[in-house]
Amino acid sequence: MADRIPFADLGALTRQVRCEVDRAWAEILDEGWFVRGPHVGQFEEQWAHFCGTDYALGVANGTDALTLTLRAMGVGRHDDVVVPANTFVATVEAVVLVGARPRFADVDPDTLLMTADTFRAAWTPRTKVVIPVHLFGQPVAMDALCDAADQRGVAVVEDAAQAHGATWRGRRVGSFGVAACFSFYPGKNLGAFGDGGAVVTSHAGIAAGIAGLRDHGRADGSRYDHTALGTNSRLDTVQAAVLSAKLPHLDDWNAQRRDVADAYQRLLAGTPVRWVPSRPEAEHVHHLAVVRVPARSWVQGALAEAGVESGIHYPVPCHRMAPYAGYAGGSLPEVERAAEEILSLPMFPGMTTAQVTRVCDLVVDAAERASELARVG
Ligand SMILES: *Cc1c(COP(=O)(O)O)cnc(C)c1O
């Protein structure tokens, strides 16, 4: 098939750091230090510096970053946690895993992000934490959300797993809440060669709590003094070395994603394919390129037939999933409407203008034909 266009291209990013990773790998084999060790501490320092926080704590994955943060904050059985319903399931899963009750918030109809208003509508007197998700790579309007949370005595924990390096009014995500959680799953904007995650915070108590919990509840510096019920959730040495090799490229890769997004936005203007817009205060890092289309499954089929990969993030909102439906408070019209229409188009650093143009030609043609059929039929 001519011109297959992949959804993402991890291989190209791997090639850019291959030499450096080979060198680090040789070093690690020579040292024979595979868990913890200097590479982990070095990456943690770099990541905290990049995010503008005092601490970064490497953990095994993004889901653990969320659960360990909530546990370190003492969130549990008697607490509610407000989350947007249109997120990757891990955000909600973490809340339930620590024994707390998720309260689902609706979202802004344009950006599809939680807002101060949708947070307030989901708030209860038991609400201890709100988790804004910087979905698709776009930061939530953090000044308004943090003000609303402050007014109600609610702590903000950012889920930044899709937004490495994004900024709101010039400030990096990760530095707004009391803590922020990142995933380094391979497909994320900063991805390891396996699973990985981190929590960033400037709160010394939360940092110390997570440092213990991720390592079997060990007291600081001790070997067999387990003072808390912990778990095993460490970022391993190899992944830390990979992340250190990739981090210097992150801003450039995000800038390339923005160029791709600009091309999409320009080419889709005035068509039935609606680009999910960003706010002028936000520097979006376009983890995903999301549009809204009529007759989605038909449009997606037309793309697939032409060799263009696409995805849906996410087809079922969390409050409609079996394990979490019991926590649903009622309908969430914007989340539910979006779930029927959203389609994620190919997006990766280095995607060419010719590729973007071809995707746009195909998706616009399919959407126009779908609209035409709807009019006639
Ligand atoms: C990827 C992701 C996570 C979970 O990260 P894992 O490393 O896969 O556990 C959490 N929240 C969001 C929004 C994500 O996209």
Side-chain angles (χ1 to χ4, degrees):
M1 198 181 300
D3 290 352
R4 199 186 73 88
I5 301 180
F7 189 68
D9 184 6
L10 294 186
L13 306 188
T14 300
R15 284 190 291 281
Q16 289 181 52
V17 295
R18 181 72 191 250
C19 283
E20 216 168 325
V21 171
D22 279 343
R23 204 173 321 122
W25 176 230
E27 218 175 281
I28 291 166
L29 291 184
D30 286 342
E31 289 164 1
W33 199 348
F34 300 111
V35 172
R36 300 197 285 185
H39 288 282
V40 176
Q42 188 183 17
F43 173 69
E44 287 177 330
E45 232 168 77
Q46 293 164 342
W47 189 239
H49 179 76
F50 180 87
C51 293
T53 57
D54 291 346
Y55 309 96
L57 298 119
V59 295
N61 54 64
T63 309
D64 282 1
L66 288 159
T67 55
L68 295 179
T69 299
L70 294 173
R71 287 186 59 196
M73 294 169 71
V75 176
R77 259 188 321 135
H78 303 291
D79 304 315
D80 286 0
V81 177
V82 173
V83 293
N86 63 335
T87 179
F88 180 60
V89 67
T91 319
V92 184
E93 195 176 37
V95 172
V96 176
L97 282 173
V98 303
R101 184 169 70 176
R103 301 284 312 175
F104 293 105
D106 208 352
V107 294
D108 179 88
D110 296 323
T111 62
L112 305 182
L113 300 174
M114 187 200 280
T115 66
D117 284 341
T118 67
F119 154 69
R120 278 189 286 258
W123 177 88
T124 63
R126 294 191 355 166
T127 302
K128 193 161 177 184
V129 171
V130 55
I131 309 183
V133 178
H134 306 306
L135 195 69
F136 308 144
Q138 173 163 212
V140 166
M142 289 306 284
D143 28 20
L145 184 84
C146 290
D147 284 350
D150 273 352
Q151 275 165 15
R152 305 208 163 175
V154 171
V156 176
V157 171
E158 297 168 71
D159 182 337
Q162 300 191 1
H164 313 72
T167 67
W168 174 259
R169 292 189 199 278
R171 183 166 151 197
R172 296 260 194 215
V173 301
S175 64
F176 289 92
V178 295
C181 302
F182 288 92
S183 163
F184 302 120
Y185 181 78
K188 308 287 184 179
N189 287 33
L190 181 63
F193 290 174
D195 278 308
V199 180
V200 296
T201 182
S202 293
H203 190 294
I206 293 175
I210 293 168
L213 291 173
R214 70 178 171 180
D215 194 24
H216 303 296
R218 276 195 178 94
D220 189 24
S222 90
R223 194 165 184 118
Y224 292 117
D225 185 14
H226 304 282
T227 54
L229 171 65
T231 186
N232 178 355
S233 181
R234 294 173 296 224
L235 179 68
D236 78 63
T237 312
V238 174
Q239 303 311 334
V242 169
L243 293 166
S244 285
K246 282 190 165 187
L247 182 53
H249 298 271
L250 178 59
D251 281 330
D252 177 45
W253 288 341
N254 283 341
Q256 292 182 45
R257 287 175 181 272
R258 268 193 293 278
D259 289 344
V260 173
D262 288 347
Y264 268 127
Q265 206 171 353
R266 199 173 58 246
L267 293 165
L268 295 174
T271 76
V273 179
R274 290 182 296 145
W275 179 254
V276 172
S278 46
R279 294 277 177 252
E281 302 92 328
E283 191 167 61
H284 194 322
V285 292
H286 303 282
H287 174 58
L288 294 166
V290 181
V291 295
R292 302 174 77 158
V293 292
R296 178 182 59 198
S297 57
W298 195 78
V299 170
Q300 199 175 18
L303 289 176
E305 219 165 283
V308 172
E309 292 178 357
S310 62
I312 300 170
H313 301 87
Y314 298 89
V316 180
C318 296
H319 68 299
R320 298 295 188 216
M321 291 178 179
Y324 314 109
Y327 302 105
S331 80
L332 299 168
E334 297 307 335
V335 164
E336 286 159 26
R337 199 188 336 268
E340 301 295 314
E341 301 174 351
I342 47 174
L343 181 66
S344 307
L345 301 176
M347 164 58 77
F348 48 91
M351 187 175 176
T352 66
T353 308
Q355 286 175 313
V356 179
T357 305
R358 194 164 112 76
V359 173
C360 289
D361 286 347
L362 286 163
V363 74
V364 168
D365 178 62
E368 275 173 350
R369 277 189 292 153
S371 309
E372 191 65 32
L373 285 176
R375 244 193 322 275
V376 175

